[in-house]
Structures are given as C-alpha cells and as structure tokens.
Amino acid sequence: MTEKTIPTNFIRQIIDKDLAAGKNNKKVVTRFPPEPNGYLHIGHAKSICLNFGIAQDYNGTCNLRFDDTNPSKEDIEFVDAIKWDVQWLGFDWNELHYASDYFQNLYDFAVDLIKEDKAYVDDLSAHDIREYRGTLKEPGKNSPYRERTVEENLDLFERMKNGEFEDGSKVLRAKIDMASPNINLRDPTIYRIRKGVDHHQTGTSWSVYPMYDYTHCISDALEGITHSLCTLEFEDHRPLYDWFLDQLDVPCHPQQIEFSRLNLEYTVMSKRKLTELVTQKHVDGWDDPRMPTIAGLRRRGFTPASLREFIQRVGVTKSDNIVEMGVLEDCIRTDLNENAPRRMAVLRPLKVTITNYPEDKVEQLDSSNHPQNEAMGKRKLPFSNTLYIDQNDFAEEPPKKFKRLIPGGEVRLRNAYVIRCDEIIKDASGNIIELKCSFDENTLGKNPEGRKVKGVIHWVSAAQAIQANVCLYDRLFSDPNPDGNKEGKDYHDFINPESLIKLEACYVESNLDSVKPGETFQFEREGYFCLDAHSSSDKPVFNRTVTLRDTWAKITKK
RNA sequence: UGGGGUGUCGCCAAGCGGUAAGGCACUGGAUUUUGAUUCCAGCAUACCCAGGUUCGAAUCCUGGCACCCCAGCCA
C-alpha cells in the first residue's frame, strides 16, 4: 500500500524550528528505548514509527536502545523479540545500545554528583522514604542522612557497588529539594542495591542499578540524541531529566518532548495487563492473534504496511485518545483488498449434489486470483457433482431481500454455473443435511437468458477440497474501554468469552495446498485469512484477520 | 491556587488572527459473477463555557468548567 503523504505534527514542527535555528548542528537523532520486560504492542508501534519515521524524513538516525536497568523484570527472550518486531515493522536502527552499556559511565557520573554534594547515600527504608517524601499537597522533609559528608558518601557508595550492603538497606539519592511542588524533584532515588540478580547483559558484575530518570537522560546525551520522544506521563519528569544533564559534564543536552499514548477500543495496552492475560491463560501467549501485541497482530495476519498506515492515520498529539477499531480494520482491509489473492473456503459446509451433472466428471474452471488485478493471474478450480456450500447461503424460509439459495430458486456459484435448488434432504431430527440441485450448463461465464440471477455464493468441490480448521477472532473485551474504572470493575470483568470461535469442519479449495505460514488470502465473501504460524501440515489452521465489510449483516440487524 | 497536561463532528485529527482540511464511522445512490471492491453525493453557521480585545477570534486576553498524569528502591 502507499504511504505518500508526509505527516505533520507538533513534534515535527518543533524539529523544523530547531533545524531552521541551526540547533544540534542541524542533525536529527532519535531513539526507540523499550525495556525488555515484555513484548511490544501497537502502542510501541506508534513510538517506533514516530522515532524511526522522523529520522528517515529528516535524514537523521534512530537508535534502538534497551532500557535494561531493572534486571529482575527483564529477559533476553524479550530483547530478541523486540529486535525482530522492529525489523518486521520495516525499520532498521543506526546503533544498537543497552543502557547497561553505560553502567560504568553512569557510576562515574554518580560519583561526580556526590563530589559536588548533589547526591547522598540514604539509609532510610523504602517505607520511611515514602513517609519523608510528603504528599501531593504537603512538602516533604529532609532525610536525617541528607547531610552526610562527601567523603562518607563516596565511601558508602563505593561499598554499595562492592556488594557490602544488603538489598534495600541503602540508596543513592539526588540532593534537590524536598519541598518541591514537583514530587519527582524531592530527592529522587538514583541507585538501588540489587545483589546477586542475574542481568541478561552484565550478569552479576553489578550490585547497584541506576534508576530510569537518572539513566535515560544520560544515555540520550551519550548517544547524541537530539530529540528524546516519550509519552505524556513523563512530562513531570522533564525537570529532572534536565536537572541531571545540567549538573553533569555530558556531551549534549537532548530535548525531551512528550506525546500521548495510543489507546485502542476493546483492548488493553499496559504491559502489566498484557502480561496478566498471558500468565492467567486468558489468551494463548504473547502472540495470540487477539492480543494487541505486534506478535499477535502479525499472527493474526496484519501486514507491516497496514500497521504503519494505521499509526500515520492516528497522528501524534498531546490529547488523550481512544481510537476506534474501525480505523485499524480499514487499514488492513485496504492493504489486503489490493494484495491478497482470492480463494474460496466453506466454513460451515452443506452438501450439494448436482443431479444433472455427470457423476464421474471433474471440470477445471478458470478463475482469476483478483477481480481487479489481472496481473495476479488465474487458477484452476475443480468442479464436480458433489459440492459444499455454506449453510448460511441457503434458507428454507428466507428473510426479506435474501438473495442466496432458496427452495426452487436459482443462485450463481462463484466462478461457475447457475444452479437451482430442487429438493431438500433432512435427517431424522429435521436438520437440513443435503440439497439436490440442477445446474444450467449455459451459464458458465455468461448470464442466463431471459432471467436475472442476483445471488452469488462460494463453494468447493467435495472430492478435491482440503479439510481445515478456521479460527474466527473477535474483540478480546466486551467494553470499548475495559481500563476505564467503572464502579469496582476492572478489565477482567470485561473479557469477551466469545473472542475465539474454532471451526473444525471447514473445507478450503485445493489451491490452498501449499501455503506458507503467514500467507494471506481473501476467502471470498468471508474475509481475509492467513495460515497460522503454528499450523501443522496435516490439517491447516487459518486465522481470520478481519471480515469483509458486510452491509447485509447491517440490514439483517435492523 | 500542590504540580504538570489536555479540551475542534460518533472516533482520530488539520488549523498558529482573515471567516472550520482530511481519514474512519455513518446515510443515500450508481456499477458489480464477492451483499466485497470502485464510483458519486451527503455529513461541525461551528471549535468546553462566559466575558473581553479586534473591522475580523477555534486561534489573543481574563475568569470559570471538565477530563488525564504524578506521592516505586518500576519504566
């Protein structure tokens, strides 16, 4: 799909001004800085597209940096997954970094801070630190350890690093202002002790780990980042970001700019909640096709281009938002409508016997892979006297305006003949199990004479069709905003029990015999489907990415 | 008056003092061997509210209101 229009947003306007003013040597350097503590979701895609997109459009560069300062939550599994997701989305980083690469620099800068009496070792417990911090409306008060001498702080901090103290017994704090109206400035903790935890990059070589606020600004500065883009909840941290850089002898002072997170209707976006969905088995894993993760969307059949298009349509601002699913759905439909070859698949089979078609004959009918794009070629479709159609395409007592198959009525078999239903066969309990039909041999590739046949339905030839499982997905939650705090309820209470419907007796046309995992098709009149990444070869599993637009469904609802 | 933000169509979102872009959704209608696609038409006298400045205000000023974020040794 085409992504031609270059977006405009307030961040790009800031950059335009900076460039015009000759700031940063007229360079633009950004970074995407995930913590490897989970899989990336579509909200991260916004940050990725923003950061890498700006770098591309301004002839700048963008780094991938893992913000790995909390070893107890992180795992190498996540760093590998994140790298692949970024590349899959279509981006490549200039430099790959880990915040842990800077642990020594960070430590040295902390020593500088101590030497200038701008940081101190505090023996207060976590609980007491909280007490001393004050509240949103009342100022905090100084720790009794705040006035330790530089020498003592230097000694203590070094011994913290050397592993002489237990976890939680001491922290290093920046000495700023316990009465600041901005809580982040009330002597924030910048180092804590984590002894013996195995860090995925640095092993057990460190006993102290720097905090986010302290790490992030310095990492940005060391990499020469010009514009440090992050989400709105860090607005209050910006004064702290700037404070550290002002105190320290760093190569540059990047500009932090905040934008609003992406929220999508009928799903949740926080890593904690997504992690819970996985660990509590509400879904099959991080790549469950119902998940808003990049991995889930990929397995569902979304393309990188459709996701990039979505992010572009949604824009970048500072206002809170909840985007409707319809936007995402339109993005993938637009892409797949243009690029997915057409196939036929019968999801709820109903046997049809063509009584006037020779029993042993199999015809190979020509059908195009795309009605609007001849370049996608043609395929052969076997036709015989025994077919399957979808149960929904026959009605013994049709509703008004129904234009599919009815008793005594005619319908077009897509890419084939017009048939008429002559007889309904039912089982003992009255279920329709078969239709006896007759075909009009003069209707292949042309309309019948003297009468109009409005309906067109899809089908497969029974003998050649391939058995398949099909997974139909719906929204994971029944409420558009499962996060919104509604009297005592949380997102668990809105999990949609029908978010996955497994159909296990489906037939797909024989041309679907050598499909690669992830390959996408339009099953005509049903929707877009892809072969599941975990599909086994004996019985393929197709995931429905999205339905076709369905005005008939709208009519029947009225 | 704790601090920091945000308020333009159902949902996103342009707009930056010269008279409300666009997309999605929705509603009609045309073409169609997918009730798909495509096409064509419609869809904010109005920008949270109230004052004010101005020839002119969504844009500037004043005062309200609503909503979001912040009290991790998480990021």
Side-chain angles (χ1 to χ4, degrees):
Chain A
M1 59 200 304
T2 49
E3 298 154 276
K4 58 270 175 190
T5 50
I6 291 189
T8 164
N9 58 53
F10 78 99
I11 296 177
R12 284 169 183 260
Q13 289 175 356
I14 291 171
I15 294 175
D16 289 337
K17 274 183 197 148
D18 289 349
L19 255 19
K23 280 192 193 170
N24 308 313
N25 253 334
K26 300 205 173 188
K27 290 266 191 303
V28 175
V29 183
T30 57
R31 101 271 91 116
F32 172 61
E35 184 189 15
N37 66 344
Y39 280 70
L40 261 26
H41 54 64
I42 193 166
H44 293 105
K46 179 173 180 175
S47 177
I48 292 168
C49 292
L50 215 213
N51 279 293
F52 284 95
I54 281 175
Q56 276 172 4
D57 294 342
Y58 285 91
N59 246 308
T61 56
C62 180
N63 295 343
L64 172 61
R65 180 172 72 234
F66 289 99
D67 227 325
D68 56 348
T69 56
N70 187 0
S72 42
K73 284 192 173 179
E74 297 157 9
D75 197 287
I76 192 74
E77 173 197 354
F78 300 127
V79 343
D80 293 336
I82 288 169
K83 284 188 208 168
W84 167 230
D85 284 348
V86 171
Q87 290 178 315
W88 179 79
L89 267 177
F91 299 102
D92 206 358
W93 45 87
N94 178 46
E95 298 166 2
L96 173 66
H97 293 291
Y98 295 82
S100 54
D101 295 346
Y102 312 127
F103 278 175
Q104 187 60 49
N105 308 257
L106 262 359
Y107 179 83
D108 295 340
F109 279 126
V111 169
D112 291 346
L113 241 26
I114 295 172
K115 283 180 181 164
E116 292 185 44
D117 198 24
K118 287 168 181 162
Y120 61 98
V121 173
D122 196 342
D123 293 3
L124 247 29
S125 67
H127 172 268
D128 287 342
I129 286 182
R130 195 181 320 126
E131 297 271 281
Y132 275 72
R133 184 153 32 226
T135 68
L136 293 177
K137 295 189 177 182
E138 302 156 27
K141 56 185 183 194
N142 288 171
S143 163
Y145 302 97
R146 198 175 197 262
E147 296 309 327
R148 289 219 249 230
T149 64
V150 168
E151 290 67 33
E152 192 182 358
N153 283 322
L154 250 13
D155 174 61
L156 257 14
F157 186 50
E158 179 165 8
R159 289 163 63 192
M160 282 168 66
K161 184 198 71 171
N162 292 339
E164 291 185 32
F165 306 116
E166 295 311 306
D167 288 14
S169 62
K170 285 179 171 48
V171 291
L172 183 70
R173 291 229 254 169
K175 190 186 281 191
I176 307 180
D177 177 10
M178 288 306 291
S180 172
N182 181 345
I183 289 194
N184 295 297
L185 263 20
R186 317 240 261 234
D187 289 10
T189 300
I190 60 179
Y191 266 92
R192 75 283 215 189
I193 302 171
R194 280 296 117 85
K195 281 208 300 181
V197 184
D198 193 31
H199 187 288
H200 51 97
Q201 301 300 317
T202 59
T204 52
S205 51
W206 288 88
S207 295
V208 289
Y209 288 91
M211 299 286 289
Y212 164 85
D213 284 310
Y214 176 70
T215 306
H216 206 93
C217 53
I218 296 174
S219 305
D220 281 346
L222 292 177
E223 288 176 26
I225 302 299
T226 56
H227 303 269
S228 180
L229 314 180
C230 63
T231 43
L232 245 31
E233 67 272 25
F234 293 107
E235 276 181 311
D236 288 347
H237 297 235
R238 192 182 341 122
L240 184 52
Y241 184 103
D242 291 329
W243 186 87
F244 285 124
L245 296 182
D246 287 342
Q247 311 309 313
L248 271 5
D249 184 22
V250 288
C252 64
H253 191 138
Q255 180 183 2
Q256 173 177 305
I257 305 169
E258 310 84 7
F259 61 94
S260 60
R261 285 174 172 275
L262 170 67
N263 296 293
L264 243 193
E265 279 193 343
Y266 297 103
T267 191
V268 292
M269 215 65 97
S270 90
K271 240 182 230 177
R272 195 202 96 223
K273 288 166 191 154
L274 294 175
T275 306
E276 280 178 12
L277 288 172
V278 173
T279 55
Q280 296 170 4
K281 308 265 185 207
H282 294 115
V283 296
D284 274 340
W286 288 97
D287 69 343
D288 185 296
R290 292 165 293 181
M291 291 281 273
T293 51
I294 306 293
L297 291 162
R298 175 169 55 233
R299 191 171 161 200
R300 175 83 170 252
F302 280 80
T303 59
S306 70
L307 262 21
R308 275 184 256 125
E309 169 69 14
F310 171 70
I311 296 305
Q312 186 170 133
R313 287 192 195 183
V314 150
V316 180
T317 66
K318 293 181 74 130
S319 44
D320 292 331
N321 60 81
I322 306 181
V323 178
E324 290 179 345
M325 275 291 185
V327 183
L328 219 206
E329 289 174 353
D330 186 67
C331 289
I332 188 60
R333 283 195 188 112
T334 304
D335 184 341
L336 264 19
N337 174 53
E338 192 180 331
N339 299 310
R342 312 287 123 124
R343 293 290 183 268
M344 290 202 285
V346 174
L347 272 30
R348 300 168 186 85
L350 171 60
K351 185 179 173 186
V352 168
T353 304
I354 313 291
T355 52
N356 59 340
Y357 194 88
E359 226 172 282
D360 49 358
K361 183 175 175 183
V362 177
E363 232 179 317
Q364 296 294 332
L365 304 177
D366 263 335
S367 48
S368 74
N369 288 326
H370 191 116
Q372 279 87 243
N373 183 2
E374 277 188 36
M376 289 180 81
K378 292 183 184 308
R379 68 192 192 279
K380 296 288 186 187
L381 273 178
F383 185 87
S384 67
N385 81 324
T386 308
L387 314 172
Y388 292 114
I389 66 168
D390 197 282
Q391 288 166 21
N392 295 145
D393 285 334
F394 176 78
E396 194 172 7
E397 291 167 39
K400 279 197 179 98
K401 293 190 178 174
F402 189 80
K403 52 183 207 190
R404 283 110 95 145
L405 193 58
I406 61 175
E410 281 187 307
V411 77
R412 158 78 62 186
L413 292 178
R414 175 80 169 145
N415 297 310
Y417 302 94
V418 168
I419 60 168
R420 185 181 61 235
C421 174
D422 302 317
E423 189 186 348
I424 305 169
I425 313 289
K426 296 182 180 179
D427 66 10
S429 40
N431 301 310
I432 300 170
I433 54 168
E434 185 186 344
L435 264 21
K436 301 275 193 196
C437 298
S438 49
F439 86 116
D440 180 344
E441 64 177 335
N442 291 317
T443 55
L444 188 62
K446 57 187 175 191
N447 287 324
E449 285 171 27
R451 59 197 201 277
K452 283 218 165 124
V453 176
K454 266 196 166 177
V456 180
I457 66 174
H458 59 282
W459 54 278
V460 293
S461 175
Q464 293 80 15
I466 301 166
Q467 288 198 36
N469 291 349
V470 170
C471 293
L472 304 180
Y473 299 103
D474 197 359
R475 40 186 65 140
L476 235 190
F477 294 92
S478 55
D479 190 278
N481 186 11
D483 263 340
N485 33 322
K486 298 163 189 87
E487 64 283 340
K489 291 187 172 181
D490 82 339
Y491 72 101
H492 290 277
D493 301 309
F494 299 112
I495 292 176
N496 176 11
E498 285 163 9
S499 60
L500 168 59
I501 295 172
K502 283 187 186 176
L503 300 176
E504 301 191 320
C506 310
Y507 289 98
V508 301
E509 66 170 77
S510 49
N511 295 295
L512 257 2
D513 63 345
S514 54
V515 177
K516 292 190 290 292
E519 212 176 334
T520 305
F521 300 91
Q522 183 194 101
F523 289 173
E524 289 194 271
R525 303 207 313 129
E526 290 289 359
Y528 296 98
F529 294 76
C530 71
L531 186 67
D532 186 68
H534 303 340
S535 183
S536 64
S537 52
D538 46 321
K539 195 176 183 191
V541 176
F542 287 94
N543 292 325
R544 185 175 70 191
T545 309
V546 67
T547 61
L548 259 27
R549 214 179 251 110
D550 190 354
T551 50
W552 172 243
K554 272 179 210 158
I555 293 166
T556 50
K557 259 185 198 167
K558 283 178 189 171

